[in-house]
Amino acid sequence: AAASPPTIDDTALRASLKGTLQQELARHFIYPLPARRRGWQGEVLLAFRLEADGRITDARVARSSGYGVLDRAALTALGKIKRIHSDTPYGIAMQLPVIYRLEG
């Protein structure tokens, strides 16, 4: 009998990759001072492709926070992630929320 190819649990893989990406994004996260001073908050939904070699390509804002400065800061932070360890043998389309909330 021929061996069947290994299967990839797509849900678990995406969850793992999302966690790794969130950790990396946190390292580069900046809450722009003008936005903090004005009390601007919101969530930016980033869409991108994670290539098999761990590079992020085709990054864009899928849903705006309503504030261009927050949208640009989120994209800039994502752009600073050069490469992540990825166990996927193929490129994968992903989305990642970036939340801007003021405490207090």
Side-chain angles (χ1 to χ4, degrees):
S4 61
T7 58
I8 295 171
D9 181 344
D10 196 58
T11 304
L13 176 65
R14 284 178 182 274
S16 173
L17 291 172
K18 190 173 178 179
T20 301
L21 285 162
Q22 286 173 326
Q23 288 174 344
E24 283 298 308
L25 194 67
R27 293 179 52 224
H28 302 290
F29 181 85
I30 293 174
Y31 203 132
L33 187 58
R36 283 188 293 158
R37 285 188 174 151
R38 291 179 176 93
W40 293 347
Q41 303 182 91
E43 179 178 306
V44 183
L45 184 63
L46 298 177
F48 53 92
R49 184 168 175 79
L50 180 64
E51 301 297 343
D53 65 2
R55 289 176 306 114
I56 293 169
T57 61
D58 302 327
R60 63 182 174 81
V61 173
R63 188 177 63 236
S64 173
S65 64
Y67 300 101
V69 66
L70 296 181
D71 297 349
R72 287 188 298 277
L75 266 178
T76 298
L78 185 68
K80 289 183 179 179
I81 301 172
K82 296 302 175 206
R83 193 177 294 252
I84 68 161
H85 175 73
S86 169
D87 289 327
T88 179
Y90 49 82
I92 186 170
M94 297 191 68
Q95 292 188 334
L96 192 67
V98 181
I99 299 167
Y100 290 89
R101 290 275 177 270
L102 294 169
E103 302 298 321

